[in-house]
């Protein structure tokens, strides 16, 4: 009888120790999560639209959707349960485009927001925190169709090569007629100089002279009698 009571007592003590150890681990894990979890706050503004439909259609994406948040009626948001580190914050909306920002959270809870510079990652340009997102432009899902214009036809290289010589032919004679007699005479002399062809030797004669060693070809007697 005494042995059974002692055994029950020891079993009771073991159960108490196990329960205390279990609750102690849970408390430590809760305290650890409370210490290492942070939140990101911000606000979204859309000034080009007076309707509030954009609030319900907007989502806050952190690191490409690993963490998500929703907007309140006034456009503010808070994303909880974040560890320390660097996070990319994006605003997803089907109608408007927003510039993403990056938030750096230290282990002590200090936060710094900065712009995202993909061309120069080392360049640091901080912004105020809590962050403010404003629409940059409206989202365009279709490419604008090109329209035909008269200037496309006029500045076509083929048209220019055909029209410019025609204009020169039509305009130059009128300019010559309208010019002074002395200027006209000068222009005619220049044109005559350009039109004069130099006495170039015949190619056939040059070839025959080269092949015959510089000797002139002997004319036949029949050709001399005919003359």
């Amino acid at each position: 009888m005494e042995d059974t009571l002692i055994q029950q007592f020891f079993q009771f003590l073991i159960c108490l120790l196990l329960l205390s150890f279990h609750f102690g681990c849970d408390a430590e894990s809760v305290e650890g999560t409370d210490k290492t979890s942070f939140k990101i706050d911000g606000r979204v503004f859309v000034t080009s639209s007076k309707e509030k439909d954009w609030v319900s259609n907007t989502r806050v994406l952190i690191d490409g959707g690993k963490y998500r948040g929703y907007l309140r009626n006034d456009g503010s948001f808070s994303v909880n349960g974040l560890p320390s580190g660097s996070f990319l914050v994006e605003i997803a909306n089907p109608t408007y485009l927003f510039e993403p920002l990056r938030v750096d959270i230290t282990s002590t809870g200090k936060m710094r927001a900065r712009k995202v510079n993909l061309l120069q990652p080392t360049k640091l340009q901080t912004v105020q925190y809590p962050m403010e997102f404003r629409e940059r432009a409206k989202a365009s899902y279709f490419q604008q169709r090109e329209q035909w214009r008269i200037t496309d036809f006029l500045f076509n290289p083929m048209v220019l090569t055909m029209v410019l010589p025609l204009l020169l032919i039509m305009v130059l004679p009128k300019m010559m007629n309208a010019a002074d007699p002395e200027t006209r005479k000068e222009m005619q002399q220049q044109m005559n100089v350009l039109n004069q062809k130099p006495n170039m030797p015949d190619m056939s004669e040059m070839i025959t002279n080269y092949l015959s060693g510089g000797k002139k070809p002997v004319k036949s007697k029949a050709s001399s009698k005919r003359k």
Side-chain angles (χ1 to χ4, degrees), residues 7-53:
Q7 290 178 358
Q8 290 178 0
F9 179 73
F10 279 111
Q11 290 177 359
F12 181 71
L13 288 176
I14 291 170
C15 291
L16 287 176
L17 290 173
L18 291 174
L19 289 173
S20 63
F21 179 76
H22 178 70
F23 284 114
C25 291
D26 291 340
E28 288 180 358
S29 62
V30 170
E31 288 177 359
T33 54
D34 290 337
K35 288 180 181 179
T36 57
S37 64
F38 305 97
K39 68 175 181 176
I40 293 177
D41 299 322
R43 191 171 183 180
V44 181
F45 296 91
V46 176
T47 56
S48 59
S49 178
K50 295 181 180 180
E51 300 178 358
K52 291 295 183 180
D53 294 340

mmCIF file of all heavy atoms in Angstrom, residues 7-53:
data_model
loop_
_atom_site.group_PDB
_atom_site.id
_atom_site.type_symbol
_atom_site.label_atom_id
_atom_site.label_comp_id
_atom_site.label_asym_id
_atom_site.label_seq_id
_atom_site.Cartn_x
_atom_site.Cartn_y
_atom_site.Cartn_z
ATOM 1 N N GLN A 7 4.670 5.483 -5.451
ATOM 2 C CA GLN A 7 4.723 5.492 -6.909
ATOM 3 C C GLN A 7 3.798 6.553 -7.491
ATOM 4 O O GLN A 7 4.164 7.279 -8.423
ATOM 5 C CB GLN A 7 4.353 4.103 -7.461
ATOM 6 C CG GLN A 7 5.415 3.045 -7.191
ATOM 7 C CD GLN A 7 4.978 1.686 -7.703
ATOM 8 O OE1 GLN A 7 3.861 1.531 -8.219
ATOM 9 N NE2 GLN A 7 5.846 0.691 -7.544
ATOM 10 N N GLN A 8 2.584 6.659 -6.945
ATOM 11 C CA GLN A 8 1.650 7.680 -7.420
ATOM 12 C C GLN A 8 2.190 9.083 -7.163
ATOM 13 O O GLN A 8 2.033 9.991 -7.995
ATOM 14 C CB GLN A 8 0.298 7.495 -6.737
ATOM 15 C CG GLN A 8 -0.457 6.258 -7.185
ATOM 16 C CD GLN A 8 -1.766 6.083 -6.444
ATOM 17 O OE1 GLN A 8 -2.114 6.910 -5.568
ATOM 18 N NE2 GLN A 8 -2.487 5.026 -6.776
ATOM 19 N N PHE A 9 2.870 9.260 -6.023
ATOM 20 C CA PHE A 9 3.426 10.568 -5.701
ATOM 21 C C PHE A 9 4.525 10.946 -6.703
ATOM 22 O O PHE A 9 4.583 12.087 -7.191
ATOM 23 C CB PHE A 9 3.978 10.534 -4.262
ATOM 24 C CG PHE A 9 4.596 11.833 -3.842
ATOM 25 C CD1 PHE A 9 3.810 12.949 -3.560
ATOM 26 C CD2 PHE A 9 5.978 11.945 -3.731
ATOM 27 C CE1 PHE A 9 4.400 14.125 -3.173
ATOM 28 C CE2 PHE A 9 6.560 13.139 -3.343
ATOM 29 C CZ PHE A 9 5.759 14.241 -3.060
ATOM 30 N N PHE A 10 5.414 9.963 -6.985
ATOM 31 C CA PHE A 10 6.475 10.237 -7.962
ATOM 32 C C PHE A 10 5.908 10.500 -9.358
ATOM 33 O O PHE A 10 6.400 11.371 -10.099
ATOM 34 C CB PHE A 10 7.470 9.070 -7.997
ATOM 35 C CG PHE A 10 8.476 9.127 -6.889
ATOM 36 C CD1 PHE A 10 8.466 8.197 -5.844
ATOM 37 C CD2 PHE A 10 9.467 10.117 -6.880
ATOM 38 C CE1 PHE A 10 9.405 8.254 -4.832
ATOM 39 C CE2 PHE A 10 10.410 10.158 -5.860
ATOM 40 C CZ PHE A 10 10.385 9.247 -4.830
ATOM 41 N N GLN A 11 4.869 9.781 -9.740
ATOM 42 C CA GLN A 11 4.231 10.023 -11.035
ATOM 43 C C GLN A 11 3.630 11.420 -11.099
ATOM 44 O O GLN A 11 3.711 12.114 -12.113
ATOM 45 C CB GLN A 11 3.151 8.967 -11.303
ATOM 46 C CG GLN A 11 3.728 7.581 -11.578
ATOM 47 C CD GLN A 11 2.639 6.550 -11.753
ATOM 48 O OE1 GLN A 11 1.439 6.875 -11.642
ATOM 49 N NE2 GLN A 11 3.038 5.316 -12.016
ATOM 50 N N PHE A 12 3.038 11.861 -9.989
ATOM 51 C CA PHE A 12 2.465 13.202 -9.925
ATOM 52 C C PHE A 12 3.546 14.273 -10.084
ATOM 53 O O PHE A 12 3.366 15.262 -10.792
ATOM 54 C CB PHE A 12 1.710 13.360 -8.598
ATOM 55 C CG PHE A 12 1.065 14.708 -8.439
ATOM 56 C CD1 PHE A 12 -0.039 15.068 -9.206
ATOM 57 C CD2 PHE A 12 1.592 15.617 -7.527
ATOM 58 C CE1 PHE A 12 -0.615 16.317 -9.049
ATOM 59 C CE2 PHE A 12 1.025 16.861 -7.387
ATOM 60 C CZ PHE A 12 -0.101 17.222 -8.148
ATOM 61 N N LEU A 13 4.695 14.054 -9.405
ATOM 62 C CA LEU A 13 5.795 15.013 -9.516
ATOM 63 C C LEU A 13 6.356 15.068 -10.948
ATOM 64 O O LEU A 13 6.665 16.145 -11.474
ATOM 65 C CB LEU A 13 6.912 14.632 -8.541
ATOM 66 C CG LEU A 13 6.645 14.871 -7.050
ATOM 67 C CD1 LEU A 13 7.809 14.350 -6.222
ATOM 68 C CD2 LEU A 13 6.421 16.361 -6.788
ATOM 69 N N ILE A 14 6.452 13.919 -11.595
ATOM 70 C CA ILE A 14 6.961 13.881 -12.970
ATOM 71 C C ILE A 14 6.017 14.628 -13.909
ATOM 72 O O ILE A 14 6.445 15.376 -14.802
ATOM 73 C CB ILE A 14 7.167 12.426 -13.415
ATOM 74 C CG1 ILE A 14 8.340 11.804 -12.627
ATOM 75 C CG2 ILE A 14 7.450 12.349 -14.920
ATOM 76 C CD1 ILE A 14 8.493 10.321 -12.812
ATOM 77 N N CYS A 15 4.712 14.441 -13.691
ATOM 78 C CA CYS A 15 3.726 15.152 -14.532
ATOM 79 C C CYS A 15 3.836 16.654 -14.337
ATOM 80 O O CYS A 15 3.755 17.426 -15.304
ATOM 81 C CB CYS A 15 2.320 14.670 -14.200
ATOM 82 S SG CYS A 15 1.998 12.985 -14.715
ATOM 83 N N LEU A 16 4.014 17.093 -13.078
ATOM 84 C CA LEU A 16 4.162 18.533 -12.824
ATOM 85 C C LEU A 16 5.414 19.089 -13.505
ATOM 86 O O LEU A 16 5.398 20.188 -14.084
ATOM 87 C CB LEU A 16 4.231 18.780 -11.317
ATOM 88 C CG LEU A 16 2.910 18.633 -10.539
ATOM 89 C CD1 LEU A 16 3.160 18.824 -9.046
ATOM 90 C CD2 LEU A 16 1.896 19.663 -11.027
ATOM 91 N N LEU A 17 6.519 18.345 -13.454
ATOM 92 C CA LEU A 17 7.747 18.804 -14.101
ATOM 93 C C LEU A 17 7.593 18.905 -15.619
ATOM 94 O O LEU A 17 8.055 19.875 -16.247
ATOM 95 C CB LEU A 17 8.898 17.847 -13.755
ATOM 96 C CG LEU A 17 9.389 17.882 -12.298
ATOM 97 C CD1 LEU A 17 10.413 16.771 -12.054
ATOM 98 C CD2 LEU A 17 10.014 19.244 -11.984
ATOM 99 N N LEU A 18 6.920 17.901 -16.177
ATOM 100 C CA LEU A 18 6.711 17.943 -17.632
ATOM 101 C C LEU A 18 5.832 19.110 -18.041
ATOM 102 O O LEU A 18 6.091 19.798 -19.041
ATOM 103 C CB LEU A 18 6.099 16.617 -18.105
ATOM 104 C CG LEU A 18 7.017 15.392 -18.026
ATOM 105 C CD1 LEU A 18 6.240 14.126 -18.388
ATOM 106 C CD2 LEU A 18 8.211 15.570 -18.962
ATOM 107 N N LEU A 19 4.750 19.356 -17.265
ATOM 108 C CA LEU A 19 3.858 20.476 -17.578
ATOM 109 C C LEU A 19 4.574 21.815 -17.446
ATOM 110 O O LEU A 19 4.401 22.712 -18.278
ATOM 111 C CB LEU A 19 2.628 20.426 -16.674
ATOM 112 C CG LEU A 19 1.631 19.300 -16.961
ATOM 113 C CD1 LEU A 19 0.552 19.269 -15.879
ATOM 114 C CD2 LEU A 19 0.988 19.512 -18.327
ATOM 115 N N SER A 20 5.365 21.970 -16.403
ATOM 116 C CA SER A 20 6.088 23.233 -16.221
ATOM 117 C C SER A 20 7.110 23.447 -17.339
ATOM 118 O O SER A 20 7.284 24.566 -17.840
ATOM 119 C CB SER A 20 6.789 23.239 -14.862
ATOM 120 O OG SER A 20 7.755 22.206 -14.796
ATOM 121 N N PHE A 21 7.773 22.390 -17.769
ATOM 122 C CA PHE A 21 8.728 22.516 -18.858
ATOM 123 C C PHE A 21 8.035 22.888 -20.164
ATOM 124 O O PHE A 21 8.513 23.736 -20.933
ATOM 125 C CB PHE A 21 9.487 21.191 -19.013
ATOM 126 C CG PHE A 21 10.482 21.187 -20.130
ATOM 127 C CD1 PHE A 21 11.710 21.848 -19.997
ATOM 128 C CD2 PHE A 21 10.192 20.547 -21.334
ATOM 129 C CE1 PHE A 21 12.620 21.851 -21.025
ATOM 130 C CE2 PHE A 21 11.114 20.562 -22.363
ATOM 131 C CZ PHE A 21 12.332 21.208 -22.215
ATOM 132 N N HIS A 22 6.874 22.282 -20.404
ATOM 133 C CA HIS A 22 6.129 22.563 -21.636
ATOM 134 C C HIS A 22 5.666 24.010 -21.674
ATOM 135 O O HIS A 22 5.854 24.725 -22.671
ATOM 136 C CB HIS A 22 4.941 21.595 -21.732
ATOM 137 C CG HIS A 22 4.084 21.832 -22.937
ATOM 138 N ND1 HIS A 22 4.525 21.549 -24.223
ATOM 139 C CD2 HIS A 22 2.825 22.345 -23.051
ATOM 140 C CE1 HIS A 22 3.563 21.871 -25.070
ATOM 141 N NE2 HIS A 22 2.528 22.351 -24.382
ATOM 142 N N PHE A 23 5.062 24.484 -20.591
ATOM 143 C CA PHE A 23 4.591 25.872 -20.553
ATOM 144 C C PHE A 23 5.756 26.864 -20.593
ATOM 145 O O PHE A 23 5.643 27.960 -21.152
ATOM 146 C CB PHE A 23 3.731 26.088 -19.306
ATOM 147 C CG PHE A 23 2.365 25.492 -19.433
ATOM 148 C CD1 PHE A 23 1.976 24.426 -18.625
ATOM 149 C CD2 PHE A 23 1.460 25.993 -20.354
ATOM 150 C CE1 PHE A 23 0.716 23.880 -18.737
ATOM 151 C CE2 PHE A 23 0.198 25.434 -20.455
ATOM 152 C CZ PHE A 23 -0.192 24.377 -19.661
ATOM 153 N N GLY A 24 6.871 26.491 -19.997
ATOM 154 C CA GLY A 24 8.034 27.384 -20.057
ATOM 155 C C GLY A 24 8.567 27.537 -21.475
ATOM 156 O O GLY A 24 8.932 28.629 -21.908
ATOM 157 N N CYS A 25 8.585 26.450 -22.258
ATOM 158 C CA CYS A 25 9.026 26.529 -23.657
ATOM 159 C C CYS A 25 8.084 27.364 -24.494
ATOM 160 O O CYS A 25 8.494 28.168 -25.346
ATOM 161 C CB CYS A 25 9.143 25.119 -24.243
ATOM 162 S SG CYS A 25 10.503 24.155 -23.544
ATOM 163 N N ASP A 26 6.760 27.205 -24.245
ATOM 164 C CA ASP A 26 5.788 28.008 -24.989
ATOM 165 C C ASP A 26 5.950 29.482 -24.693
ATOM 166 O O ASP A 26 5.869 30.331 -25.588
ATOM 167 C CB ASP A 26 4.357 27.558 -24.645
ATOM 168 C CG ASP A 26 4.066 26.168 -25.210
ATOM 169 O OD1 ASP A 26 4.799 25.763 -26.154
ATOM 170 O OD2 ASP A 26 3.121 25.512 -24.734
ATOM 171 N N ALA A 27 6.179 29.806 -23.424
ATOM 172 C CA ALA A 27 6.344 31.217 -23.055
ATOM 173 C C ALA A 27 7.594 31.805 -23.687
ATOM 174 O O ALA A 27 7.598 32.943 -24.179
ATOM 175 C CB ALA A 27 6.413 31.347 -21.532
ATOM 176 N N GLU A 28 8.681 31.009 -23.717
ATOM 177 C CA GLU A 28 9.899 31.506 -24.346
ATOM 178 C C GLU A 28 9.720 31.717 -25.836
ATOM 179 O O GLU A 28 10.210 32.689 -26.417
ATOM 180 C CB GLU A 28 11.045 30.514 -24.093
ATOM 181 C CG GLU A 28 11.525 30.531 -22.656
ATOM 182 C CD GLU A 28 12.651 29.527 -22.455
ATOM 183 O OE1 GLU A 28 12.983 28.838 -23.460
ATOM 184 O OE2 GLU A 28 13.163 29.418 -21.331
ATOM 185 N N SER A 29 9.000 30.796 -26.485
ATOM 186 C CA SER A 29 8.771 30.953 -27.925
ATOM 187 C C SER A 29 7.905 32.163 -28.215
ATOM 188 O O SER A 29 8.147 32.904 -29.169
ATOM 189 C CB SER A 29 8.117 29.693 -28.500
ATOM 190 O OG SER A 29 6.850 29.476 -27.888
ATOM 191 N N VAL A 30 6.880 32.422 -27.371
ATOM 192 C CA VAL A 30 6.033 33.592 -27.570
ATOM 193 C C VAL A 30 6.824 34.862 -27.362
ATOM 194 O O VAL A 30 6.726 35.831 -28.123
ATOM 195 C CB VAL A 30 4.823 33.527 -26.619
ATOM 196 C CG1 VAL A 30 4.064 34.841 -26.632
ATOM 197 C CG2 VAL A 30 3.905 32.383 -27.017
ATOM 198 N N GLU A 31 7.671 34.876 -26.303
ATOM 199 C CA GLU A 31 8.484 36.061 -26.063
ATOM 200 C C GLU A 31 9.475 36.274 -27.199
ATOM 201 O O GLU A 31 9.724 37.400 -27.633
ATOM 202 C CB GLU A 31 9.242 35.896 -24.735
ATOM 203 C CG GLU A 31 8.331 36.012 -23.524
ATOM 204 C CD GLU A 31 9.115 35.767 -22.239
ATOM 205 O OE1 GLU A 31 10.343 35.497 -22.351
ATOM 206 O OE2 GLU A 31 8.517 35.833 -21.159
ATOM 207 N N GLY A 32 10.002 35.166 -27.721
ATOM 208 C CA GLY A 32 10.949 35.300 -28.830
ATOM 209 C C GLY A 32 10.290 35.861 -30.075
ATOM 210 O O GLY A 32 10.832 36.713 -30.761
ATOM 211 N N THR A 33 9.053 35.401 -30.369
ATOM 212 C CA THR A 33 8.353 35.929 -31.540
ATOM 213 C C THR A 33 7.975 37.369 -31.338
ATOM 214 O O THR A 33 7.987 38.166 -32.266
ATOM 215 C CB THR A 33 7.100 35.087 -31.822
ATOM 216 O OG1 THR A 33 6.291 35.034 -30.616
ATOM 217 C CG2 THR A 33 7.483 33.687 -32.250
ATOM 218 N N ASP A 34 7.628 37.736 -30.117
ATOM 219 C CA ASP A 34 7.294 39.131 -29.866
ATOM 220 C C ASP A 34 8.502 40.029 -30.054
ATOM 221 O O ASP A 34 8.390 41.168 -30.502
ATOM 222 C CB ASP A 34 6.736 39.284 -28.451
ATOM 223 C CG ASP A 34 5.359 38.644 -28.317
ATOM 224 O OD1 ASP A 34 4.670 38.484 -29.351
ATOM 225 O OD2 ASP A 34 5.001 38.295 -27.186
ATOM 226 N N LYS A 35 9.689 39.509 -29.723
ATOM 227 C CA LYS A 35 10.873 40.340 -29.831
ATOM 228 C C LYS A 35 11.341 40.467 -31.270
ATOM 229 O O LYS A 35 11.858 41.493 -31.672
ATOM 230 C CB LYS A 35 11.995 39.741 -28.967
ATOM 231 C CG LYS A 35 11.769 39.904 -27.473
ATOM 232 C CD LYS A 35 12.915 39.303 -26.691
ATOM 233 C CE LYS A 35 12.687 39.446 -25.185
ATOM 234 N NZ LYS A 35 13.796 38.828 -24.410
ATOM 235 N N THR A 36 11.159 39.411 -32.085
ATOM 236 C CA THR A 36 11.719 39.408 -33.430
ATOM 237 C C THR A 36 10.701 39.742 -34.504
ATOM 238 O O THR A 36 11.035 39.713 -35.667
ATOM 239 C CB THR A 36 12.323 38.036 -33.731
ATOM 240 O OG1 THR A 36 11.305 37.028 -33.572
ATOM 241 C CG2 THR A 36 13.478 37.746 -32.811
ATOM 242 N N SER A 37 9.481 40.013 -34.196
ATOM 243 C CA SER A 37 8.466 40.347 -35.202
ATOM 244 C C SER A 37 8.254 41.853 -35.232
ATOM 245 O O SER A 37 8.168 42.501 -34.184
ATOM 246 C CB SER A 37 7.149 39.626 -34.916
ATOM 247 O OG SER A 37 6.606 40.062 -33.691
ATOM 248 N N PHE A 38 8.197 42.401 -36.450
ATOM 249 C CA PHE A 38 8.012 43.834 -36.635
ATOM 250 C C PHE A 38 6.894 44.055 -37.645
ATOM 251 O O PHE A 38 6.373 43.110 -38.243
ATOM 252 C CB PHE A 38 9.311 44.484 -37.116
ATOM 253 C CG PHE A 38 10.491 44.210 -36.228
ATOM 254 C CD1 PHE A 38 11.374 43.181 -36.537
ATOM 255 C CD2 PHE A 38 10.710 44.952 -35.086
ATOM 256 C CE1 PHE A 38 12.460 42.909 -35.729
ATOM 257 C CE2 PHE A 38 11.795 44.689 -34.263
ATOM 258 C CZ PHE A 38 12.669 43.668 -34.600
ATOM 259 N N LYS A 39 6.566 45.307 -37.844
ATOM 260 C CA LYS A 39 5.527 45.645 -38.817
ATOM 261 C C LYS A 39 5.977 46.839 -39.652
ATOM 262 O O LYS A 39 6.788 47.655 -39.228
ATOM 263 C CB LYS A 39 4.209 45.948 -38.128
ATOM 264 C CG LYS A 39 4.197 47.224 -37.303
ATOM 265 C CD LYS A 39 2.803 47.501 -36.765
ATOM 266 C CE LYS A 39 2.782 48.810 -35.958
ATOM 267 N NZ LYS A 39 1.405 49.137 -35.496
ATOM 268 N N ILE A 40 5.435 46.907 -40.860
ATOM 269 C CA ILE A 40 5.712 47.985 -41.799
ATOM 270 C C ILE A 40 4.438 48.790 -41.990
ATOM 271 O O ILE A 40 3.382 48.218 -42.292
ATOM 272 C CB ILE A 40 6.230 47.435 -43.140
ATOM 273 C CG1 ILE A 40 7.611 46.805 -42.961
ATOM 274 C CG2 ILE A 40 6.304 48.527 -44.193
ATOM 275 C CD1 ILE A 40 8.158 46.181 -44.220
ATOM 276 N N ASP A 41 4.538 50.090 -41.824
ATOM 277 C CA ASP A 41 3.398 50.990 -41.959
ATOM 278 C C ASP A 41 3.602 51.906 -43.160
ATOM 279 O O ASP A 41 4.733 52.248 -43.527
ATOM 280 C CB ASP A 41 3.224 51.843 -40.697
ATOM 281 C CG ASP A 41 2.957 50.984 -39.472
ATOM 282 O OD1 ASP A 41 2.241 49.980 -39.604
ATOM 283 O OD2 ASP A 41 3.482 51.318 -38.384
ATOM 284 N N GLY A 42 2.510 52.315 -43.738
ATOM 285 C CA GLY A 42 2.567 53.230 -44.879
ATOM 286 C C GLY A 42 1.178 53.684 -45.277
ATOM 287 O O GLY A 42 0.169 53.329 -44.652
ATOM 288 N N ARG A 43 1.151 54.475 -46.341
ATOM 289 C CA ARG A 43 -0.124 55.001 -46.830
ATOM 290 C C ARG A 43 -0.030 55.191 -48.336
ATOM 291 O O ARG A 43 1.031 55.525 -48.867
ATOM 292 C CB ARG A 43 -0.454 56.320 -46.144
ATOM 293 C CG ARG A 43 -1.880 56.780 -46.398
ATOM 294 C CD ARG A 43 -2.230 57.958 -45.526
ATOM 295 N NE ARG A 43 -3.615 58.374 -45.716
ATOM 296 C CZ ARG A 43 -4.197 59.391 -45.068
ATOM 297 N NH1 ARG A 43 -3.505 60.074 -44.174
ATOM 298 N NH2 ARG A 43 -5.456 59.690 -45.312
ATOM 299 N N VAL A 44 -1.157 54.971 -49.003
ATOM 300 C CA VAL A 44 -1.243 55.068 -50.456
ATOM 301 C C VAL A 44 -2.186 56.210 -50.806
ATOM 302 O O VAL A 44 -3.284 56.317 -50.225
ATOM 303 C CB VAL A 44 -1.735 53.740 -51.075
ATOM 304 C CG1 VAL A 44 -1.794 53.845 -52.596
ATOM 305 C CG2 VAL A 44 -0.833 52.592 -50.656
ATOM 306 N N PHE A 45 -1.758 57.055 -51.760
ATOM 307 C CA PHE A 45 -2.560 58.188 -52.204
ATOM 308 C C PHE A 45 -2.807 58.059 -53.704
ATOM 309 O O PHE A 45 -1.888 57.760 -54.476
ATOM 310 C CB PHE A 45 -1.845 59.514 -51.927
ATOM 311 C CG PHE A 45 -1.626 59.797 -50.466
ATOM 312 C CD1 PHE A 45 -0.457 59.399 -49.832
ATOM 313 C CD2 PHE A 45 -2.585 60.456 -49.722
ATOM 314 C CE1 PHE A 45 -0.242 59.658 -48.500
ATOM 315 C CE2 PHE A 45 -2.388 60.719 -48.374
ATOM 316 C CZ PHE A 45 -1.208 60.319 -47.763
ATOM 317 N N VAL A 46 -4.046 58.297 -54.098
ATOM 318 C CA VAL A 46 -4.424 58.370 -55.514
ATOM 319 C C VAL A 46 -5.209 59.662 -55.684
ATOM 320 O O VAL A 46 -6.388 59.744 -55.313
ATOM 321 C CB VAL A 46 -5.251 57.142 -55.951
ATOM 322 C CG1 VAL A 46 -5.707 57.314 -57.400
ATOM 323 C CG2 VAL A 46 -4.434 55.869 -55.817
ATOM 324 N N THR A 47 -4.564 60.667 -56.236
ATOM 325 C CA THR A 47 -5.201 61.989 -56.364
ATOM 326 C C THR A 47 -5.981 62.139 -57.660
ATOM 327 O O THR A 47 -6.839 63.016 -57.757
ATOM 328 C CB THR A 47 -4.124 63.079 -56.315
ATOM 329 O OG1 THR A 47 -3.151 62.833 -57.339
ATOM 330 C CG2 THR A 47 -3.419 63.066 -54.967
ATOM 331 N N SER A 48 -5.711 61.310 -58.664
ATOM 332 C CA SER A 48 -6.396 61.461 -59.951
ATOM 333 C C SER A 48 -7.758 60.800 -59.985
ATOM 334 O O SER A 48 -8.484 60.936 -60.967
ATOM 335 C CB SER A 48 -5.524 60.875 -61.066
ATOM 336 O OG SER A 48 -5.266 59.500 -60.828
ATOM 337 N N SER A 49 -8.148 60.094 -58.950
ATOM 338 C CA SER A 49 -9.447 59.424 -58.915
ATOM 339 C C SER A 49 -10.175 59.805 -57.628
ATOM 340 O O SER A 49 -9.609 59.740 -56.537
ATOM 341 C CB SER A 49 -9.270 57.905 -58.978
ATOM 342 O OG SER A 49 -10.518 57.250 -58.889
ATOM 343 N N LYS A 50 -11.431 60.237 -57.779
ATOM 344 C CA LYS A 50 -12.231 60.598 -56.622
ATOM 345 C C LYS A 50 -13.010 59.406 -56.058
ATOM 346 O O LYS A 50 -13.528 59.475 -54.955
ATOM 347 C CB LYS A 50 -13.211 61.706 -57.007
ATOM 348 C CG LYS A 50 -12.516 63.016 -57.381
ATOM 349 C CD LYS A 50 -13.524 64.097 -57.724
ATOM 350 C CE LYS A 50 -12.823 65.400 -58.086
ATOM 351 N NZ LYS A 50 -13.797 66.473 -58.438
ATOM 352 N N GLU A 51 -13.104 58.348 -56.803
ATOM 353 C CA GLU A 51 -13.795 57.155 -56.334
ATOM 354 C C GLU A 51 -12.897 56.341 -55.405
ATOM 355 O O GLU A 51 -11.671 56.378 -55.523
ATOM 356 C CB GLU A 51 -14.243 56.299 -57.517
ATOM 357 C CG GLU A 51 -15.201 57.034 -58.458
ATOM 358 C CD GLU A 51 -15.589 56.177 -59.638
ATOM 359 O OE1 GLU A 51 -15.068 55.038 -59.731
ATOM 360 O OE2 GLU A 51 -16.405 56.639 -60.454
ATOM 361 N N LYS A 52 -13.511 55.597 -54.514
ATOM 362 C CA LYS A 52 -12.784 54.792 -53.527
ATOM 363 C C LYS A 52 -12.682 53.323 -53.917
ATOM 364 O O LYS A 52 -12.312 52.489 -53.103
ATOM 365 C CB LYS A 52 -13.460 54.918 -52.158
ATOM 366 C CG LYS A 52 -13.316 56.298 -51.522
ATOM 367 C CD LYS A 52 -11.874 56.616 -51.185
ATOM 368 C CE LYS A 52 -11.726 57.956 -50.488
ATOM 369 N NZ LYS A 52 -10.318 58.264 -50.173
ATOM 370 N N ASP A 53 -12.994 53.009 -55.182
ATOM 371 C CA ASP A 53 -12.894 51.614 -55.597
ATOM 372 C C ASP A 53 -11.455 51.133 -55.635
ATOM 373 O O ASP A 53 -11.185 49.933 -55.505
ATOM 374 C CB ASP A 53 -13.519 51.440 -56.993
ATOM 375 C CG ASP A 53 -15.033 51.702 -56.964
ATOM 376 O OD1 ASP A 53 -15.600 51.623 -55.867
ATOM 377 O OD2 ASP A 53 -15.604 51.989 -58.027
#
